[in-house]
Amino acid sequence: MADDSRTSDVGDRYARALFDLANETGTLPAVAADIAALRRMRADSADLRSLLASPAFTAADKARALAALADKAELSETTQKFLGLLAGNGRAAALPDAVAAFEALHADARGVVAAVVTTAAPMTAAQSKGVAEALRAALGKAPEIETRVDPALLGGIRVRVGSKLFDASLRSKLDSLKFALKRA
């Protein structure tokens, strides 16, 4: 029996089911907006991250909390049912993976590639445009860029496209130099 980790991942399976349902019912734009909102909510709320990850909360507790969150955020009916199914099946902890997988499926369907660009300081508009053009040329697809700032990089840039990481940060170069010096 072949091991296909892509299909065995719980988040990917739930994301695929949600994507297919939303596509078939014509609710894909609304569901995609809901998924983006869920990603932002999780990023902004330590309480939500704790709720999803903690085994101290029962599946029923998580289902009630996610239902209340979805209702307050006015998420679509399809997304609300998805969250209920996820929590009801004891898979609420897989929500971050499902969100990431859904966004990747949606980007692929639109013919764009999602990229996370991390820099030590905020980029100017000209720098952002240059990075977008370089990614478009390198990848052959229009990039959808999410920017992040991480002062620990010290300088340079780090770009993640899917599972690939292009690291041209000063921090990684210093770490490489440090490792080389230790080996010598």
Side-chain angles (χ1 to χ4, degrees), residues 7-51:
T7 58
S8 66
D9 184 52
V10 173
D12 286 348
R13 289 194 313 250
Y14 277 92
R16 171 55 73 185
L18 176 62
F19 182 82
D20 289 345
L21 177 65
N23 203 21
E24 289 171 11
T25 59
T27 59
L28 188 57
V31 171
D34 292 347
I35 292 297
L38 283 168
R39 180 180 37 79
R40 287 189 303 273
M41 285 181 227
R42 184 180 169 277
D44 294 343
S45 174
D47 290 339
L48 180 56
R49 290 190 300 273
S50 295
L51 171 78

Side-chain angles (χ1 to χ4, degrees), residues 93-104:
L95 181 61
D97 294 334
V99 165
F102 182 92
E103 288 180 331

